Each structure stands twice: as C-alpha cells, then as structure tokens.
Amino acid sequence: MDGNGRWAKARGLPRIKGHEAGAQAVRECVEGCGELKVEYLTLYAFSAENWQRPKGEILSLMRLLEKFLKEKTPELIEKNVRLQAIGRLTDLPESSQEQLHKTIEQTAGNNGLTLILALSYGGRLEIIDGIKSLLRAIELGHIDKGMIDVEMFSKHLYTRYYPDPDLLIRTSGEMRLSNFLLWQMSYTELYVTPKLWPDFTKKDLFAAVEEYGRRQRRYGGVE
Ligand code: IPE
Ligand code: MG
C-alpha cells in the first residue's frame, strides 16, 4: 500500500494525513474483495524496514492501526471477514498487539474473506525464522533433514495456513517487491499501478483483477 506520503505531500498535508486516507482505501479494497469472493487479501501495512522511519511517524501509524482495528471490528464481523496477521508481531507496541489479538479472536469464526495484515514483516526475516523453526523441529526429532522439501519449508513460514498469492498489486508505480512475501511470490502475477494508495478505489481493484484474468499462467511449463 505505497504512496501515502506522496499523496499527503501533493496536498501540503503532513504524512499522517496520507496514512489516514490510506486507511479509508483499505475499507474499499476489503469491500471489493468481498464482492469478488476473493478468499485471501494480504496487506503490507508495516515492514520490518519501516522501523527506520522517524519515531513520530511510527507512533502515528501504530495509533492508526489500533484505531482502525477497534473501529472496524464490528464491520469486519458484519462482513464475515476473518482477520489474521503475519510478521514479527512481538515487535509491535503492547497496546497494538492487544488490539490486534482482540480483533483476531473476535473474527476467528468468520469464513468469508481472510484479511491478513503484514506487520513488522520482512520476507528475508520470515525465511530466517522458517529455517530456525525447521532446525528446531530436527533437534526435537520431529523431522529428518532428508525430508525437507518446498512443501515442508512452506509449512514453517508465517503463511503456513494460506495459499501463495495469485496476484500482487503494487501502487504508486514502484517496480519492486520491497521484501514482501519473497518465497511465496515465485509465480505470483505482478500488477503495478501509478495510482497512490489513498486514491486506489474499488474500480481500480476490479481493473487489476480483470487484467489478472487475461494472464496466462504456465508455472514454467508449456500450454
Ligand atoms: C506506505 O506509504 C504506507 C506505509 C509504509 C505504512 P508511504 O509512507 O511509503 O508513502 P510514500 O512512499 O512516502 O509516498
Ligand atoms: Mg513508500
């Protein structure tokens, strides 16, 4: 969800106003995914690298996250959305963790869209954590190192319960992955739009999904 800062700057507003506008775009996107019967939507909300930002911006983002979760939980329940989270969640402030776990619990019984927030998430860190988890399983004698394959490693990642993404939408025109779901995106279709995240509407989402529908996925094979 890139471009909040540029959106604010273009209007002479502080960056946090861009993040607030971005939170509104999330609502549209979640609603749109519900209508399209998308099963999983992962939002890259805060990266492991975002901790390098000024303290004030980090604090505002964490407050916004808590406010968003608190305010939107009834709506998530009403729309049958199940909230989940991936990343080094224990890096988040206590109060954010508490609110996050509250919303996760309160939406656990929903079986519509699974909305996954990537928070303090880094793809390389996830792979490192996956390796550590595998080593632990070997030490405990649960698995033998000869058994390690792609499928097994996938089960040691934060995303073990979710399928690999079919489509990546990147806003604000940047042509990079920025350490997002590196392992999982081997065969993900990429879609880049110049629109800044706060300007991304349901219509833009539908356009991306339509374009996805025209792609031919061969996974390295032939037709
Ligand atoms: C993305 O918008 C939102 C978060 C990282 C939370 P940016 O803050 O990266 O916006 P730009 O890139 O400065 O425009
Ligand atoms: Mg950015």
Side-chain angles (χ1 to χ4, degrees), residues 12-49:
L13 297 169
R15 292 178 59 84
I16 184 63
K17 291 288 167 199
H19 297 314
E20 284 171 14
Q24 283 308 307
V26 168
R27 191 177 183 274
E28 280 234 359
C29 196
V30 169
E31 210 175 83
C33 283
E35 287 171 28
L36 290 168
K37 303 264 185 288
V38 167
E39 287 177 283
Y40 297 87
L41 170 67
T42 308
L43 297 175
Y44 201 5
F46 193 85
S47 75
E49 289 75 24

Side-chain angles (χ1 to χ4, degrees), residues 202-220:
K202 212 189 266 188
K203 217 174 119 199
D204 297 314
L205 172 74
F206 292 167
V209 171
E210 219 173 277
E211 158 73 26
Y212 169 80
R214 287 191 288 270
R215 304 276 177 93
Q216 276 189 11
R217 304 184 77 188
R218 291 185 295 275
Y219 302 94

Side-chain angles (χ1 to χ4, degrees), residues 50-222:
N50 284 151
W51 293 112
Q52 294 165 33
R53 293 193 176 197
K55 277 214 164 62
E57 182 171 347
I58 295 175
L59 195 66
S60 313
L61 278 169
M62 293 301 151
R63 284 209 189 110
L64 185 62
L65 170 71
E66 286 172 40
K67 183 170 166 264
F68 177 84
L69 289 172
K70 203 173 177 160
E71 275 179 20
K72 302 291 177 201
T73 301
E75 202 177 316
L76 294 176
I77 295 170
E78 186 207 309
K79 295 209 170 96
N80 198 19
V81 176
R82 176 174 71 121
L83 189 89
Q84 299 272 280
I86 55 170
R88 289 196 172 167
L89 305 178
T90 51
D91 291 350
L92 301 175
E94 285 291 324
S95 54
S96 308
Q97 291 185 48
E98 273 170 31
Q99 181 57 56
L100 186 62
H101 290 301
K102 233 185 236 174
T103 306
I104 290 174
E105 258 172 51
Q106 287 173 351
T107 61
N110 295 345
N111 60 7
L113 173 71
T114 297
L115 172 61
I116 306 159
L117 295 184
L119 293 164
S120 192
Y121 175 87
R124 287 179 168 180
L125 280 181
E126 181 183 29
I127 292 170
I128 298 288
D129 284 346
I131 292 169
K132 287 181 181 166
S133 162
L134 264 183
L135 289 174
R136 229 172 7 252
I138 293 170
E139 268 165 28
L140 292 169
H142 295 328
I143 57 167
D144 184 83
K145 66 177 187 297
M147 290 158 67
I148 301 172
D149 59 10
V150 167
E151 206 186 324
M152 174 174 288
F153 187 59
S154 299
K155 294 289 169 228
H156 287 263
L157 295 171
Y158 307 149
T159 51
R160 56 183 151 277
Y161 305 117
Y162 322 123
D164 288 342
D166 291 311
L167 172 66
L168 168 78
I169 301 174
R170 172 123 197 188
T171 55
S172 86
E174 306 292 0
M175 302 278 189
R176 50 177 173 264
L177 296 181
S178 299
N179 206 11
F180 189 47
L181 299 174
L182 297 180
W183 170 274
Q184 296 85 346
M185 294 217 284
S186 299
Y187 278 98
T188 298
E189 294 295 325
L190 309 181
Y191 181 89
V192 177
T193 165
K195 280 235 178 165
L196 304 175
W197 175 252
D199 293 327
F200 192 80
T201 62
K202 212 189 266 188
K203 217 174 119 199
D204 297 314
L205 172 74
F206 292 167
V209 171
E210 219 173 277
E211 158 73 26
Y212 169 80
R214 287 191 288 270
R215 304 276 177 93
Q216 276 189 11
R217 304 184 77 188
R218 291 185 295 275
Y219 302 94
V222 287

